[in-house]
Amino acid sequence: MVTSITSFGRSGLYDWMMQRVTAVVLMAYTLFMIGYLLFSSDLSYASWSSLFQNTAMRIFTLLAILSLVAHAWIGLWSVSTDYIKKTSIRFAFQSVCGLLAFIYVVWGIQILWGV
Amino acid sequence: MLVSVYRYNPETDDAPYMQDIHIDIPGGKDIMVLDLLQLLKEKDPSMTFRRSCREGVCGSDGMNMNGKNGLACITALSQVVEKDKLVLRPLPGLPVIRDLVVDMTQFYKQYEKVKPFLINDTPPPAIERLQTPEDRAELDGLYECILCACCSTACPSFWWNPDKFIGPSGLLQAYRFLADTRDTARDERLSELDDPFSVFRCHGIMNCVNVCPKGLNPTKAIGKIRNMLLQRAT
Ligand code: SF4
Ligand code: SF4
Ligand code: FES
């Protein structure tokens, strides 16, 4: 069996499943957002901020952020193992992606609970 | 017509080049690409290609004809020639030994990995291991593969990771044994495949299905392996 220590779940099946599950979450979040923007009667700062005061909305958003990060990691990992042949450059690229993902999660949480 | 052939002889050429040859087909007949190559070889005996059965059975003359992989012996000029021109190249992605002949080692290594033989550790019956006609039918569309490598060398995932991704041909064979009711090593076989590369590098582009000269469907077989892995894990 081919081994690989940098992939998301280290199992092809797990990564594949995660990619699909996170895609569904992102789809649901996107549809919700589009629906909200199209159909909410009053689009103001007050209504927008009260939407994000709601704990359920915060949980949903955090779930979407985590899904986005996992989805992006699995996707970019695939791209990097396809196209970047030199191990050192590939590892550097993956490290930058990992660091960015981490920063976005922390930043996202800060924004979410800051409103 | 104009034939443009990939030429490379590592002993005399620094780099591969395309050789343009004008040729008239005797009697203007619709011959096979392999017959055309034979005509070219009569003019220039150094022209190198593989062939054996010349009827689509042995799988030795896989090559890239006007951009599409196929077997030269069963591809008629009328099927591939465009604007009186034919470009012949070796199968993409594998090292070229000479002209249209590629080194298939990487391809066979992947084939070897899937243990393409029946494994059964129960004591053999007196005569043979029987299958019902229904169980036997499961192997249709799988056993016909002639290992010509047209599919794997048309697959981008195989181009990028020929050492880790088994490729459509090997995976079709992997499924041929996973689907065989006489095989008892299903679990071990699946364990060997459950990494991020062997099976899961397939992104369902279906280039393999598009080129298989035997009309087989590796993408479908890969989907079935994936479902088996999923069922085993959940
Ligand atoms: S469907 Fe899969 S195996 Fe077939 S060409 Fe595409 S990536 Fe390769
Ligand atoms: S699946 Fe088709 S294209 Fe691929 S090796 Fe077998 S016969 Fe050739
Ligand atoms: S020569 Fe045997 S398949 Fe073409």
Side-chain angles (χ1 to χ4, degrees), chain B residues 134-153:
Chain B
E134 293 75 30
D135 286 343
R136 167 61 190 77
E138 289 294 313
L139 310 181
D140 288 341
L142 304 170
Y143 79 90
E144 299 95 327
C145 172
I146 56 172
L147 298 174
C148 64
C150 287
C151 56
S152 292
T153 58

Side-chain angles (χ1 to χ4, degrees), chain B residues 51-118:
Chain B
R51 68 117 183 76
S52 177
C53 70
R54 48 115 193 90
E55 56 184 14
V57 177
C58 69
S60 18
D61 61 344
M63 62 185 69
N64 189 277
M65 299 167 283
N66 268 352
K68 192 176 172 188
N69 291 353
L71 297 173
C73 59
I74 52 167
T75 307
L77 290 182
S78 60
Q79 288 171 272
V80 281
V81 173
E82 270 169 40
K83 297 193 187 110
D84 225 28
K85 186 173 179 191
L86 178 62
V87 182
L88 296 176
R89 292 173 181 275
L91 289 174
L94 293 176
V96 174
I97 296 175
R98 188 168 163 169
D99 296 347
L100 298 172
V101 175
V102 290
D103 178 357
M104 309 260 284
T105 311
Q106 196 66 263
F107 175 80
Y108 291 135
K109 267 196 191 149
Q110 296 299 349
Y111 178 55
E112 196 184 345
K113 267 197 210 165
V114 307
K115 302 205 174 78
F117 42 82
L118 209 65

